[in-house]
Structure formats: C-alpha cells, structure tokens
Amino acid sequence: MAGYRDTLNLPRTDFPMKADLPGREPERLRWWAERGEYQRLREQKRGRPLLILHDGPPYSNAHIHMGTASNKVWKDAVVRSSSLLGFDSPYVPGWDNHGMPIEIQVTKEFREKKLQPDRIELRRRCREYAAEWVAVQRAEFERLGIWGEWSKPYLTMEHAFEAEIVRTFAGLAEAGFVQRGMRSIHWCPTDRTALAEAEIEYQDIPSPSIHVAFPLREDAQGVFAGLSPAVEAVAWTTTPWTLPANLGLMVDPEAPYVVVRHGDRHLLIAAPRLEAVEKVLGSALPEVRRVAGRELLGVLFEAPWGNASRVVDGTPFVSMQDGTGLVHTAPGHGKEDFAVGLREGLGVVNPVDDAGRFELGAEPFVGRSVLDVDADVITWLGERGRLLASGTLTHSYPHCWRCRRPVIFRATRQWFMMIDHHDHRERAMTEVERVKWEPEGARNRIRDAVRLRPDWCLSRQRSWGVGIPALYCESCNAALLEPRVMKRAAELTREHGSDAWFEQPVEAFLPSGFRCPQCEAAGPFRKETDILDVWFDSGSTHRAIQVTHPEFGEAWQRAVREAGRIVYFEGPDQHRGWFNSSLMVGVGLTGHAPYTDVLTHGWVLDRDGRAMHKSLGNVIAPDSIIVRYGADIVRWWALATDWRNDVRVGDEILQRVADAYRKVRNTFRFLLGNLDDFRPEHAVPFARLTPVDRAFASHLAARLERMREDYRNFLFHRVTDALLDVCTVDLSAVFLDVAKNRLYTLAADDPARRSAQTVLWRALHDLAVAASPILVFTAEEVWQSHPGLVATCESVHLSEWPEHTREAVHEGPAGDDWAFLLEIRGIVNAAIEPLRAAKTLATTQEAEVTLTAAPPTIARLAQLGGELLGFLLVARAELIEDLDATDVRVEVQKTSLPRCERCWTHRPDVDDTPGQAALCSRCNRVLAARS
Ligand SMILES: [Zn+2]
Ligand SMILES: [Zn+2]
Ligand SMILES: [Zn+2]
C-alpha cells in the first residue's frame, strides 16, 4: 500500500493516544463550570419521573479516602445513569459537621496553646474547623468528576438545618417518644461521654476470670437449714471492678442446683456446672444437698462490699454453658443486669463517676480508675477469703470507636427515644419489608438491627452539637419538654444557630407566665446542657434538607406523591447507623421509612483484603492515584467492581484498570479516526447497510440494550465489563479488522464504506454515551472530538440513552446473524491457521477456501454475496451444499490470483501486465475518480 498511501482514507484524528488525564481533567472541570453544564442538566430533566439519591453525609474532619471516594463515585454513577435513562435525578451532597471527633481535635488545639475556651468559643472553633474540611473535601469530590449542587451542599451545622433538627426532636417529644431515664449505657470513661451502639467496636482482650464467694446472709425459707458451716454462693465474673455494685445473683429457676463440700466450706453452684467448677477449683466437689433453682429465689447472700445480694429469676440470661449458674448482677453496670434489676426491683448502685473513677461505696478504691483496678480488687478479695479461683480469659469486649479504649456500662440519667412507644418497633419492621434492599441479604441485617436495637440514647455530655431543648425546674428538679419552649428554641436556632440555646438566658425561651407543670413554681428554671447524639442529626437529614433546599424538597414531595424512588446508598455499618436512625425518625414522625430503596456497598480493602490503616502502612489516598493516572481511573476502578461485595485496591489492580482504560481509549481513537470525514447526514438507513454491517449493528444494539438494563439495576461492573468487551473483542478484534479494507481503500463516499462508517458512528455515539457515567472526562473528550456528536448534543452528559438500541433488537433474529458469522469465521480461521504456521500462506488473504455445509447454512452465507470475501479476509470462497452435512467443512489452498498493489487483496480483476502497477479494477476506478 506504501506507494498509494496518499490515495487511501487512513484514520485521522486529533484525539490523542496518550490520555494525560492528570493534566486534562482539571481543564475539563473548568470547562463544565464555565458553561454551567450541571445546571443545564437539571433544567433539561425538570418534570421527568424522579429518582432521588439522598446523600449520606460524610464527616468533615479529614481528607477523603478510598472508601469515601468510591462511595461518592457509585452515587454519582446512580445519579448520572438515571439522568441518562430519562429520570429527573437531583443531587445535593451533604456533610455531617457536629460531633465528638471535631470537638476532640479542637480541644487539643486549644490545649496546645494552653487556652481554656468556654463552651461558645469552643463551638465557634469547631464550626470553623468543620467548614475548613468541608471546603477541602468538596474540592476533592469535585476533582473526581462528581456532579451535584456543590455551590449549596447541605450542612448539618447550617442554622436552618440545626433548627430543623430541633423541630424534629420536638416532634418526637410531643408524640411521646422522648423520655428521661436511668439507663445502663455504654460509657467511655476516657472521653467522658455516653456512646451509641454505632460508636462501639469490639476487640479481643484478656480479662481476669474469677470465682467469688457470697456467704449466706438471710435464708427465710430455711432452704439451707442444718448446713454447717453456712453455705456460700459462687459467682463468676470477668469484670471484678463491678462487684461493689453487686445487688443480686441471677439463677435459672428451672435448673437444679447443688450444695457441695470444698475443703471445710459449703459452696452453692448449678448442678450442670459441677464438673466445670471442679476443674477450676482443682478438686472433686462431693454433693451434699440438691436444691431446685426456684427454691433459691429471695434468698439473700452477702456481696463483697456488704450489699445484700438477692437471688432473682434471671430468665433468659442465665446460661449453663459458662460460669456457675449463679450470675453476678450489677444493675448499674450491665444491660441485662439493668433489665433484670428493673424487673425484679433490685435498685441501682453506681459508685463510678464520669471519668470512670470509683466514688464512695467502693472503699478502699475511691478515686481509682475502674479500667486499671482489677488486679488490686482481686488481691483484696483474696485477703478476705472471697476469692475461690482466679485466671485470665480472652474475650470480645466493647471499645470506644474514637479513643479505642475499653468502655464500661454505667447507669446515668439520659434522654431516650423509646423504641417500643406506640408499637414503633413493629411499625418500623413493617416499613423494612416495604423497602427494596440491595443486596437482598441487607434486609436481614436491618431486620436484626431494628429488632434488637435498645432504646436510643439521644443525649451526649459534649459541647459541639445541637442542644437538647429541655428545661429543669430548680424547685422540684422535674425535667421538662415543653412544646412552646422547644418551638422557641427552633426559632432562635434558625436565626442565630444552635449557639443560641447555650448563649441566651433561659428567659429567652420561656413563654410569659410559664410555670412548672409539676410543682407550679414560676421559676427558676435551667436549660439542659447535654447535646443531641450526632446520629440524631443524620437521622433528621431527610426532613431538614427539604427545608434548607426548597427545590429539592419539592422534588422529594413529588417523588413521594408519584411513587418515584428515593435511594440511600452507603456502607454496611449504616444498618446500625444512618439507615437505622433515619428509619426511627421517619417512622416516628410520619409512620414511613424515608427511603424506597437502600443499597449497601462493601468495604474498600487493600490488595490482600485487609482494612486500610495508617498503622499497617497500606493506605492509598485517592489523590495519589489521581496525580498518577487521573480521576477516570479511580472511577473505572470503583465502578468495575461489584459494589455489593468488598472492593480491593492496590498497585497491580490499578495497573490492570489503567490497561483496560488504554484499550477503551484506543478503540475510541480508532473510531474517531475512521469517522473524520463522516457526518450524521452520511448515515445509511439500517435496511441499506451491508448484510455484515447490519448483523454487527444489531449485535451492538443488543449489547447496548443489556447495558441499559444493567444501569437500571445499578450493576455498573457489568457495564464496564461490557464496554471493555465491546471495545476489545467486538470492535478491535473483529469488526474493525473486517471493515478496514473497505474504510481505507474505497472511495470516500462509496456506499459500502459509508455503510461501515454508519455502524462505527453508532458505536462511537452509543459507547460514548454508555461510558459517560463512568469515564466522565474521557467520554466528554471523545464527544468534543467529533463535530457530528456535538451537533446532536452539546455535551455527552446532556444526551440521553439512544432509543434505537431497543428498535434494532426487534428487527429480527439479527443478533443471531452476528453470532453465526463469528462462528463461520472461527471455523475458517482454524482451517487456515496450520498453513500459516507452516508458512505455506503468508496471510489469510492468500487463502482460497471451500466451505461445505448443509443447505440452510450455505444459503445464509450466500446472502452475503461478495461481502463474504471481505468478512473472511480470503481471496476466494466457494460454497458447496451437502444434504448430509452436520457441520461446516473447510478446505484451504493457496490462491494463484494476483495481488493488487493498492488494496493488497488477491482478485481476478487485477491487471498484472508486467511493467505497470498491478491494480484491481476497483482501485483503478478510485484512482481515476481522484485525478
Ligand atoms: Zn473514648
Ligand atoms: Zn417544678
Ligand atoms: Zn485494489
């Protein structure tokens, strides 16, 4: 072809092979921003059926990591693909601003400057700090090509938002959900605060494991009459520091108990535990008397710190799998203990202060931290003859999510949302069944989370958050949730932010003439100083955002009215977190879940499947990938993995993603190169495409249609798989190979060339559109590289899914035609290959083939006419019918036809007169037309 190079239609395009995404992407971001492209998209979709993705707010205190990055990319793909499929899909990103991590960081800053801020100063700095990180994260998310209302995101610390949080609390309080009560709750003595379930992490740690004797104090029924020396009950515990708070011993009334002899003592244990206790004490324990568990109820033993320890019915908490069958019960220090204590009227003892130090009642350990006192308590018990055995045990123990130190159970007065108020739990369970959970297994997780969740402890003893608008009467100490006070608190919060509650005097919130509803006193009153759990903030986002973003609120209301979809899309920890808190608030106030669809994605792990941690040195920052490869690579990585599972990331994985990207990019480049002279008006109608082109166009349409379905189901990894496959297999490996000769050597406007271009044009258009939610930058770059594409729509991100993907599929069994053609091509190539390997043939073009097959197969091939040679890339093909053939037989021989010097095909019409260029008649015509 060399000498005729200038006479060929070789590919021509400015679309560069080298992507240079790190350099080009920021320019594209500016280009979109200048043109207001996102706003145009919003306007274009207004009034369409709604699909709302409500953004779960990340916490504003650090750079984004691979987890937050992939979460946002997945959400962006939901929003973009929904828009592409014709939905109105507004997206308002948000941030969670209040809470402990920021308060702790800011407190540290002040401490380093040796400053002691008051509450208001501390809160101001927290607000600034949160705003600084919002700005950082916003830039990082935008750099990933995420589209949304970045100029007005929702912030939980925005005044109007805080006011809605107060109003939401007031609504629940007025509906009777909120109560103040003594509860044994998770308490972090290090951070001095109550912790929510979602703030607890379990870690395996070694704990003491001791058996303690409780001597008999009072035996009114004479259960142990006649025993001397007096019996001692044996209880087992792994938390010796809770013994000063002991008020009872739980038993199983249905189980048999035995008095046994141990040296010169009488011990009481459950019969099924006898063998295990014998092992622990290292001696046989002969049975002296047998007692039914039920008979023990009401007997008083003496706890180590001198309290009466009453035997109570411990159903269902007494296990015969461990311990002694008599369970040490400290209602002030355990959830089950508290529940049983409440039921049995044991009362509560809690000699531990906010910092986890013993108070009076735990002598001689007053002032000691309960976290490091166990060894001394054990010694102390030993000195008093109370210790029967002591060892250690490794078990799973709750730790604080923030400081990673062990937490304790501690009875305190807190505000609670009562989960069983008005059958709330049942109603929430009913709503769970109405929501679509994806993957389906997530339904079980939320069911468990709702079924098992305790009452929601709403109060925190911290500063950075929304104040609880409750009052205390100084006269009678009643805790008051007064609707008019709460309403006023919301109004002042809207005006001045949540500082108002802490800054303004209590009078600012009192209605005139207000009296304590309990004692009629006209004052004084004092404001609650606790703040709301940040999970209450995020549980309220679905209400607050509708007020702070009225247009989004209208869309939300329309979605509810018109049965549109409202989607939440977060990680698996949100079954106990945001999915749960939003459900509690939504069902509490409206009877309904705030969402219709909940998607739960997996964790992002390192290449070996480990969580990423600074301490492991395996953290990969999104920015480091963007700088090296570009944001489209981060996006392809996130979207190419099935988000329903955990997602791994590492150098090799990213290298593979970059390779896949290069292949897709090169295919786009090849398409653009061969369409340089093509304009949409050159397109050949489907019916006039050549048979091979028609078959391929239908195949392509069918693949695109499947991609549409996958987008509809948010199965992005299937779309990326299909895109890569279409580019590398369908296009690069087959169709482009088959069409090359026509594209390069025919006259530019030859119908057979335009036919191939029409198919490539569809491929270019449809694949750019299909790739646009994934490779947001590259798809736009492709789009802007062809004036024909820009003429159909100014930006790929404003285009809609091509309708013809649906039509073409219904034009007949055409999809099958392509499969049939590929099969024949495979058989022919397999027959040619040995001759090429033996160097009998230099190229397949030198082959003449004879195909023998059953008449229907031959008829189908005959329909291709002259195109068959071009499709098989051979010099000559003979078709022979064989009525008995069950497969296709191929015979190959080397052609004796001369080769055209321009198009390199062997043809009978090549004029090979010596001394002049050997050209086929087709090439001769092309050349004649050019001159
Ligand atoms: Zn802590
Ligand atoms: Zn009062
Ligand atoms: Zn030729």
Side-chain angles (χ1 to χ4, degrees):
M1 259 182 246
Y4 294 95
R5 209 183 156 77
D6 295 344
T7 73
L8 302 171
N9 313 303
L10 292 178
R12 200 167 40 215
T13 178
D14 294 332
F15 185 81
M17 179 117 69
K18 190 169 165 5
D20 185 26
L21 296 179
R24 280 200 193 99
E25 288 172 345
E27 287 167 34
R28 183 62 65 192
L29 287 169
R30 279 192 290 278
W31 189 82
W32 282 325
E34 279 161 17
R35 298 161 61 100
E37 222 60 90
Y38 176 70
Q39 290 312 323
R40 287 194 211 196
L41 176 68
R42 299 296 323 120
E43 280 153 31
Q44 185 188 314
K45 305 297 177 190
R46 189 158 296 145
R48 301 285 190 86
L50 279 154
L51 189 145
I52 290 182
L53 184 124
H54 179 35
D55 191 30
Y59 196 64
S60 52
N61 73 331
H63 287 282
I64 66 169
H65 50 75
M66 291 310 283
T68 33
S70 57
N71 168 280
K72 274 287 194 292
V73 168
W74 287 321
K75 289 173 181 171
D76 191 51
V78 168
V79 171
R80 285 177 183 272
S81 60
S82 299
S83 296
L84 196 55
L85 300 190
F87 289 93
D88 183 1
S89 191
Y91 181 58
V92 180
W95 275 278
D96 203 1
N97 304 119
H98 298 126
M100 216 158 62
I102 288 179
E103 183 174 336
I104 286 171
Q105 189 54 38
V106 166
T107 306
K108 220 182 270 173
E109 280 179 15
F110 278 111
R111 204 184 299 141
E112 278 160 17
K113 291 182 198 154
K114 307 225 182 309
L115 293 171
Q116 286 212 310
D118 65 17
R119 191 170 208 177
I120 296 296
E121 283 173 304
L122 180 70
R123 287 172 51 88
R124 285 215 178 105
R125 178 60 197 134
C126 286
R127 187 177 285 277
E128 277 172 21
Y129 187 90
E132 287 160 18
W133 280 109
V134 165
V136 169
Q137 290 194 359
R138 170 162 46 195
E140 290 171 340
F141 286 137
E142 285 197 88
R143 178 64 188 82
L144 282 168
I146 317 289
W147 269 10
E149 299 287 347
W150 295 110
S151 59
K152 194 182 185 314
Y154 79 82
L155 304 178
T156 60
M157 67 177 178
E158 191 190 325
H159 294 177
F161 205 102
E162 292 179 322
E164 285 311 304
I165 295 171
V166 173
R167 241 187 278 276
T168 300
F169 174 84
L172 289 171
E174 285 174 46
F177 279 103
V178 182
Q179 283 182 24
R180 189 158 171 79
M182 187 82 164
R183 286 299 147 100
S184 193
I185 53 171
H186 283 299
W187 181 271
C188 175
T190 312
D191 293 314
R192 301 192 187 192
T193 184
L195 292 172
E197 281 294 312
E199 294 168 331
I200 299 294
E201 296 171 352
Y202 285 85
Q203 285 177 34
D204 285 344
I205 52 164
S207 292
S209 165
I210 60 171
H211 286 71
V212 182
F214 286 63
L216 184 66
R217 181 195 276 195
E218 199 179 308
D219 176 18
Q221 304 300 318
V223 181
F224 302 107
L227 276 177
S228 178
V231 72
E232 297 169 272
V234 183
W236 169 71
T237 181
T238 57
T239 49
W241 66 266
T242 61
L243 286 167
N246 177 284
L247 291 173
L249 292 167
M250 290 185 224
V251 297
D252 177 356
E254 307 305 324
Y257 284 75
V258 287
V259 177
V260 295
R261 177 163 283 284
H262 177 51
D264 55 0
R265 299 165 86 160
H266 283 130
L267 303 181
L268 175 69
I269 55 174
R273 300 301 302 157
L274 178 56
E275 208 175 308
V277 175
E278 280 178 333
K279 244 179 228 157
V280 171
L281 300 190
S283 67
L285 301 173
E287 183 175 326
V288 176
R289 185 179 294 185
R290 195 162 269 252
V291 188
R294 187 165 305 284
E295 292 178 75
L296 296 171
L297 299 178
V299 174
L300 298 184
F301 291 90
E302 181 141 324
W305 265 262
N307 305 325
S309 186
R310 178 148 59 86
V311 177
V312 292
D313 180 346
T315 313
F317 302 120
V318 181
S319 158
M320 291 299 156
Q321 304 307 312
D322 54 22
T324 63
L326 290 130
V327 179
H328 154 54
T329 305
H333 294 312
K335 192 158 67 175
E336 293 163 0
D337 305 45
F338 187 87
V340 170
L342 198 67
R343 187 177 73 197
E344 305 291 333
L346 288 180
V348 177
V349 171
N350 176 33
V352 176
D353 71 8
D354 287 0
R357 289 171 308 219
F358 276 124
E359 295 179 322
L360 288 178
E363 294 80 353
F365 301 110
V366 177
R368 293 279 305 273
S369 164
V370 302
L371 294 181
D372 54 28
V373 79
D374 280 341
D376 294 336
V377 168
I378 292 168
T379 307
W380 187 88
L381 290 169
E383 286 163 4
R384 273 146 196 83
R386 294 293 197 117
L387 189 69
L388 293 167
S390 168
T392 55
L393 166 93
T394 298
H395 66 161
S396 172
Y397 190 84
H399 285 64
C400 171
W401 71 319
R402 179 68 206 164
C403 65
R404 312 224 164 204
R405 299 262 293 145
V407 303
I408 60 175
F409 268 102
R410 178 168 174 269
T412 52
R413 288 213 170 271
Q414 302 287 341
W415 290 101
F416 286 88
M417 175 173 172
M418 309 306 289
I419 299 301
D420 289 304
H421 174 67
H422 266 242
D423 299 328
H424 177 77
R425 193 187 306 270
E426 285 69 35
R427 288 190 297 150
M429 294 297 279
T430 307
E431 281 299 296
V432 163
E433 301 309 319
R434 292 175 33 153
V435 171
K436 185 172 182 332
W437 300 87
E438 183 66 36
E440 178 61 25
R443 191 188 298 277
N444 287 330
R445 303 177 75 162
I446 187 79
R447 270 188 198 134
D448 284 350
V450 173
R451 191 166 48 83
L452 300 172
R453 75 158 298 151
D455 289 335
W456 184 357
C457 180
L458 296 176
S459 42
R460 292 292 183 279
Q461 292 66 51
R462 310 294 303 191
S463 292
W464 178 224
V466 176
I468 294 177
L471 296 182
Y472 294 96
C473 169
E474 297 279 25
S475 310
C476 70
N477 217 21
L480 307 173
L481 289 173
E482 164 61 38
R484 287 170 298 170
V485 170
M486 295 191 287
K487 184 160 178 272
R488 185 77 189 124
E491 284 163 7
L492 288 175
T493 302
R494 194 178 174 91
E495 239 173 278
H496 307 288
S498 58
D499 281 350
W501 178 254
F502 303 104
E503 249 174 338
Q504 307 217 13
V506 67
E507 289 71 29
F509 301 93
L510 292 178
S512 63
F514 182 70
R515 288 176 172 275
C516 171
Q518 303 285 320
C519 72
E520 294 288 310
F525 299 97
R526 88 185 128 83
K527 294 173 292 177
E528 172 62 274
T529 56
D530 286 0
I531 59 166
L532 281 165
D533 175 16
V534 282
W535 291 101
F536 190 81
D537 292 13
S538 56
S540 309
T541 57
H542 64 277
R543 303 177 63 79
I545 193 175
Q546 297 189 48
V547 175
T548 57
H549 293 70
E551 202 177 303
F552 189 74
E554 266 170 46
W556 192 301
Q557 287 309 315
R558 187 159 72 80
V560 171
R561 278 197 312 275
E562 297 174 2
R565 293 165 81 180
I566 297 171
V567 181
Y568 281 33
F569 193 163
E570 308 294 335
D573 46 341
Q574 303 305 338
H575 295 109
R576 287 199 304 167
W578 191 51
F579 299 155
N580 199 314
S581 61
S582 301
L583 182 69
M584 292 301 121
V585 171
V587 172
L589 287 178
T590 67
H592 294 295
Y595 36 69
T596 61
D597 294 65
V598 178
L599 313 182
T600 310
H601 61 69
W603 301 108
V604 175
L605 306 172
D606 75 1
R607 66 193 170 92
D608 301 318
R610 296 175 305 174
M612 288 197 256
H613 260 298
K614 267 192 202 138
S615 58
L616 292 174
N618 61 351
V619 176
I620 296 178
D623 190 52
S624 68
I625 306 176
I626 291 173
V627 168
R628 189 163 160 210
Y629 296 107
D632 266 358
I633 300 299
V634 178
R635 298 182 64 101
W636 183 282
W637 159 77
L639 294 166
T641 35
D642 187 345
W643 52 260
R644 295 169 297 186
N645 304 323
D646 290 341
V647 182
R648 295 186 185 198
V649 65
D651 285 342
E652 286 157 56
I653 294 168
L654 289 168
Q655 199 53 55
R656 273 205 299 278
V657 171
D659 286 345
Y661 172 83
R662 242 187 312 278
K663 287 175 186 159
V664 172
R665 185 177 179 89
N666 279 340
T667 303
F668 274 123
R669 185 163 185 273
F670 191 92
L671 293 172
L672 285 166
N674 282 291
L675 290 164
D676 183 57
D677 68 327
F678 184 89
R679 294 295 170 270
E681 57 269 26
H682 296 138
V684 177
F686 186 82
R688 297 219 320 263
L689 294 173
T690 71
V692 167
D693 292 347
R694 203 157 51 226
F696 186 69
S698 286
H699 170 72
L700 207 56
R703 296 213 68 168
L704 262 298
E705 190 55 23
R706 275 199 294 278
M707 287 187 216
R708 185 218 297 261
E709 265 318 291
D710 290 333
Y711 268 133
R712 198 185 295 286
N713 296 314
F714 309 134
L715 298 176
F716 310 121
H717 64 291
R718 291 209 197 156
V719 181
T720 58
D721 281 356
L723 277 173
L724 183 61
D725 197 53
V726 169
C727 286
T728 55
V729 180
D730 291 348
L731 280 166
S732 292
V734 185
F735 187 75
L736 295 175
D737 201 25
V738 167
K740 249 184 218 169
N741 199 277
R742 272 191 280 159
L743 290 166
Y744 294 177
T745 67
L746 295 183
D749 57 357
D750 188 292
R753 179 166 181 270
R754 290 302 193 208
S755 171
Q757 280 187 314
T758 301
V759 177
L760 296 185
W761 170 250
R762 280 195 174 190
L764 176 68
H765 175 276
D766 297 358
L767 292 176
V769 168
S772 67
I774 301 164
L775 302 174
V776 295
F777 295 98
T778 305
E780 187 74 283
E781 191 186 351
V782 168
W783 199 264
Q784 300 303 327
S785 298
H786 199 292
L789 291 174
V790 177
T792 65
C793 187
E794 63 185 71
S795 161
V796 69
H797 299 295
L798 298 185
S799 61
E800 299 222 338
W801 195 270
E803 276 308 310
H804 67 81
T805 64
R806 233 191 295 250
E807 294 157 15
V809 176
H810 299 301
E811 279 182 44
D816 293 340
D817 281 349
W818 184 249
F820 167 74
L821 291 177
L822 283 187
E823 192 191 338
I824 298 295
R825 193 169 186 262
I827 294 169
V828 169
N829 284 344
I832 293 174
E833 196 45 44
L835 285 93
R836 281 188 54 183
K839 311 266 195 245
T840 311
L841 298 177
T843 65
T844 64
Q845 314 262 18
E846 288 181 357
E848 291 189 3
V849 295
T850 308
L851 298 172
T852 308
T857 305
I858 295 300
R860 242 175 134 177
L861 287 171
Q863 278 172 7
L864 298 180
E867 219 190 346
L868 181 61
L869 298 185
F871 179 73
L872 296 176
L873 297 174
V874 296
R876 195 174 352 218
E878 193 177 346
L879 302 177
I880 296 177
E881 288 188 0
D882 176 355
L883 286 172
D884 301 326
T886 50
D887 53 4
V888 181
R889 288 198 307 281
V890 184
E891 280 158 47
V892 187
Q893 65 178 56
K894 186 171 176 169
T895 185
S896 55
L897 293 173
R899 190 180 79 153
C900 169
E901 288 177 16
R902 181 169 175 273
C903 67
W904 291 7
T905 52
H906 296 260
R907 300 169 60 108
D909 61 353
V910 173
D911 177 3
D912 56 349
T913 311
Q916 65 181 56
L919 290 170
C920 69
S921 56
R922 209 179 55 181
C923 285
N924 264 323
R925 269 200 310 281
V926 173
L927 290 175
R930 288 175 61 93
S931 54

